[in-house]
Amino acid sequence: MFLKAVRAARRAEGTPRPDDFSIITAPLPDPGPGEVVVANEYLSVDPYMREFMALGGWELGYGLEGRAIGRVIASTVADLPEGAFVAHRHGWSTHARLTPAELRVITEYEGVPASAHLGLLGGTGLTAWVGLTRVARVRPGDDVFVSTAAGAVGGAAGQFARLLGARRVVGSTGSPAKVGHVVGTLGFAAAFDYHDGLAEGLARVAPDGVDVYFDNVGGAHLEAAIDVLREFGRVAWCGAIAQYATLADPPPAPRNLYDVVGKSLRLEGFLVRRNLDARPELEDFAVPRIRSGDLVVDETVVDGFDRLPEAFLGLLRGENTGKMLVRL
Amino acid sequence: MFLKAVRAARRAEGTPRPDDFSIITAPLPDPGPGEVVVANEYLSVDPYMREFMALGGWELGYGLEGRAIGRVIASTVADLPEGAFVAHRHGWSTHARLTPAELRVITEYEGVPASAHLGLLGGTGLTAWVGLTRVARVRPGDDVFVSTAAGAVGGAAGQFARLLGARRVVGSTGSPAKVGHVVGTLGFAAAFDYHDGLAEGLARVAPDGVDVYFDNVGGAHLEAAIDVLREFGRVAWCGAIAQYATLADPPPAPRNLYDVVGKSLRLEGFLVRRNLDARPELEDFAVPRIRSGDLVVDETVVDGFDRLPEAFLGLLRGENTGKMLVRL
């Protein structure tokens, strides 16, 4: 038995490209004492991996960390038998050898696709949930603006906000097709393509302003959002995609930041890894709504381990809607 | 009987100077039906008046608004008899003719100087109180950094934070004498003169970081504070003195704003006028502590109405500690 894994083929420099990656084959290890071996079923590719590469986490001969789900196929741990369904962060490989501390056993819910444990029920969904419920503290009747609305986190945030009672959820995204997708499939009230003008688009979809901005982007999007936030508006700031490509030289902060005072705004950053205790709440909320169809499991699935680099590069080019996954 | 009032002598342009102001004399009016006439006892000069002038609130022949306290000397209003002690915002004059909606009757507390109703118990103290209790939500054990610590709002914030149970309160100010004042008189644990270097000074007085920043300034101070805020730190942002002189061209936003995400910070702006309902809480907290001497009523008092412009210009040059007042 063999495993395959993606490794760095050259030092990371600028925008990732196919020849940054190579696929190696190695004998499948047996689990040592207190270890299990997992056969991965789905791998997640995420924007933060770009940052991880640039930060030096991508060294010649080594791989990336990445979220994955799969089944235990060999075990020396009594309460982790063969067949146990688990999530872990040693992805970018067909198999992983893990200790119990490195994994989380997943509850398999009837009527919920396994892949949802990487999307709506995984770190992606948890990011959206924490940002809305703990940071922005969305209330029924709020008007909400979500950036990268067709992406995994943005799409989850928009759907959750609507189901939490938001009055009107609007989004920005990167193409006319994605505008159609977030309105037609994800239930956003309106959306716009930011390439056509951020301030103009936002003014068109939210002419009366918004109460909450779920920020996935930073930079110019944050500046435009501050302009349309109403008094006492809240920003849940969960990432900074705009920053990934230019870490040494972050994008300028919003020129209108002083409106935080004048409009009594709250700008709050958060990291999902500091809020893992919210997972049971998220499952209570999302599982019945996935079953009923009120929550759409929005995924772009690429089949075959060898296409993992291709899936990641496609994600960075915005070729997905929803969660970008590789199915093994 | 005559009144005196300060009026604009020329159009506001750049830094205010003595010949921007002229003092006029006019007959003291009688109160009309439903009006009172108040003889002012103390007038407040405040940094925001600079902004008000620049924004066009200072037109040739007109005066500025300003907080004042005084006594009713003539009245046609049944429940506002002569001798009633009131606060209002028609300052920059020895007298004011007001309707009941334009004033607030003040409770005179034994053992509390009247002037405190413009300082610790006025808008100044309320700004500090709201910023600490409603915005930053200071908790016992927090380490707190306050900018403009020798100023009226900063000095109140530092004293309140200590009495609310903060572990260590540190401040920035503008001269070695003020450093001595805030530590020796106001009870700050440490302070520094920001002219000697903001980042260096802050690192010296708060080597282990802080949990809360009470921001009176914005600009470079906010950037330095973000650098020393601990994870889950909170910024209560109540004004932007750095902005007053350059409204058309606000100071650059902090270059490290993205740390709001990485450190899970909360940056929240507020306006005291949206929080006037907090006044009873403030009085409950501050009145007994003023009486006991735990709270120092820190004031720089200039005597004589004609010296009002001089007091205001002195305030803008930072010549005061604590609340800058004119006593009539």
Side-chain angles (χ1 to χ4, degrees), chain A residues 216-303:
Chain A
N216 233 316
V217 182
H221 260 82
L222 179 55
E223 183 169 296
I226 287 174
D227 272 343
V228 303
L229 275 163
R230 298 182 183 133
E231 192 170 30
F232 304 114
R234 296 97 73 196
V235 177
W237 193 2
C238 81
I241 291 176
Q243 177 183 17
Y244 293 152
T246 52
L247 274 175
D249 183 21
R255 288 165 293 183
N256 55 359
L257 189 67
Y258 286 83
D259 288 344
V260 165
V261 178
K263 296 208 272 187
S264 300
L265 303 181
R266 174 156 58 83
L267 175 62
E268 188 166 343
F270 70 101
L271 297 173
V272 71
R273 68 169 184 265
R274 290 284 180 270
N275 292 276
L276 298 181
D277 62 299
R279 196 182 293 277
E281 288 163 31
L282 167 64
E283 296 198 357
D284 287 350
F285 179 85
V287 167
R289 290 173 173 83
I290 293 172
R291 281 196 193 117
S292 69
D294 287 334
L295 264 175
V296 173
V297 176
D298 189 22
E299 296 171 342
T300 301
V301 178
V302 172
D303 272 301

Side-chain angles (χ1 to χ4, degrees), chain A residues 261, chain B residues 46 48 67 89 118-136 152-154 156-158 160 214-216 236-239 244 270-276 278-279 282 323:
Chain A
V261 178
Chain B
D46 295 280
Y48 75 81
R67 294 177 182 139
R89 304 187 65 125
L118 285 174
L120 288 175
L121 301 177
T124 297
L126 199 57
T127 300
W129 179 256
V130 166
L132 293 172
T133 62
R134 294 191 169 182
V135 182
V153 172
F160 289 170
F214 187 98
D215 188 350
N216 233 317
W237 194 2
C238 82
Y244 293 152
F270 69 101
L271 298 173
V272 70
R273 67 170 184 264
R274 291 283 180 270
N275 291 276
L276 299 180
R279 197 183 293 278
L282 167 64
K323 187 71 192 171

Side-chain angles (χ1 to χ4, degrees), chain A residues 26-306:
Chain A
L28 187 65
D30 289 323
E35 290 182 341
V36 300
V37 171
V38 172
N40 293 326
E41 296 188 357
Y42 283 93
L43 305 175
S44 170
V45 291
D46 295 280
Y48 73 83
M49 293 166 174
R50 168 74 186 87
E51 193 173 17
F52 189 73
M53 288 174 73
L55 283 171
W58 178 242
E59 293 300 327
L60 270 181
Y62 287 86
L64 286 169
E65 72 121 58
R67 293 176 182 138
I69 53 175
R71 286 195 192 275
V72 172
I73 57 166
S75 173
T76 63
V77 182
D79 45 352
L80 283 172
E82 277 180 46
F85 188 44
V86 302
H88 62 88
R89 303 188 67 124
H90 293 248
W92 293 75
S93 179
T94 56
H95 297 75
R97 192 172 62 173
L98 305 165
T99 65
E102 294 173 310
L103 58 81
R104 181 172 61 85
V105 177
I106 292 175
T107 308
E108 295 181 80
Y109 296 104
E110 219 183 299
V112 173
S115 57
H117 290 281
L118 285 174
L120 288 175
L121 301 177
T124 297
L126 198 58
T127 300
W129 179 257
V130 166
L132 292 171
T133 62
R134 294 192 170 182
V135 183
R137 299 197 287 275
V138 165
R139 295 182 291 255
D142 278 339
D143 288 333
V144 177
F145 168 47
V146 177
S147 56
T148 65
V153 171
Q159 293 196 81
F160 288 171
R162 175 171 47 78
L163 294 170
L164 285 164
R167 193 176 73 99
R168 207 160 169 276
V169 181
V170 302
S172 71
T173 185
S175 74
K178 287 181 175 178
V179 168
H181 177 75
V182 304
V183 174
T185 303
L186 303 182
F188 281 67
F192 66 97
D193 179 350
Y194 66 83
H195 296 103
D196 296 339
L198 202 42
E200 298 78 356
L202 196 45
R204 200 171 62 245
V205 300
D208 303 321
V210 298
D211 304 294
V212 167
Y213 171 43
F214 188 98
D215 187 351
N216 233 316
V217 182
H221 260 82
L222 179 55
E223 183 169 296
I226 287 174
D227 272 343
V228 303
L229 275 163
R230 298 182 183 133
E231 192 170 30
F232 304 114
R234 296 97 73 196
V235 177
W237 193 2
C238 81
I241 291 176
Q243 177 183 17
Y244 293 152
T246 52
L247 274 175
D249 183 21
R255 288 165 293 183
N256 55 359
L257 189 67
Y258 286 83
D259 288 344
V260 165
V261 178
K263 296 208 272 187
S264 300
L265 303 181
R266 174 156 58 83
L267 175 62
E268 188 166 343
F270 70 101
L271 297 173
V272 71
R273 68 169 184 265
R274 290 284 180 270
N275 292 276
L276 298 181
D277 62 299
R279 196 182 293 277
E281 288 163 31
L282 167 64
E283 296 198 357
D284 287 350
F285 179 85
V287 167
R289 290 173 173 83
I290 293 172
R291 281 196 193 117
S292 69
D294 287 334
L295 264 175
V296 173
V297 176
D298 189 22
E299 296 171 342
T300 301
V301 178
V302 172
D303 272 301
F305 180 79
D306 293 357

Side-chain angles (χ1 to χ4, degrees), chain B residues 3 16 24 42 71 76 108 125 148 150 170 181 206 221 246-247 293 323:
Chain B
L3 63 76
I24 60 148
Y42 284 94
R71 287 196 190 275
T76 62
E108 295 180 80
T148 65
V170 301
H181 177 75
H221 260 83
T246 53
L247 274 174
K323 187 71 192 171

Side-chain angles (χ1 to χ4, degrees), chain B residues 204-229:
Chain B
R204 201 172 61 245
V205 301
D208 303 320
V210 299
D211 304 295
V212 167
Y213 171 43
F214 187 98
D215 188 350
N216 233 317
V217 181
H221 260 83
L222 179 55
E223 184 170 295
I226 287 174
D227 273 343
V228 303
L229 276 163

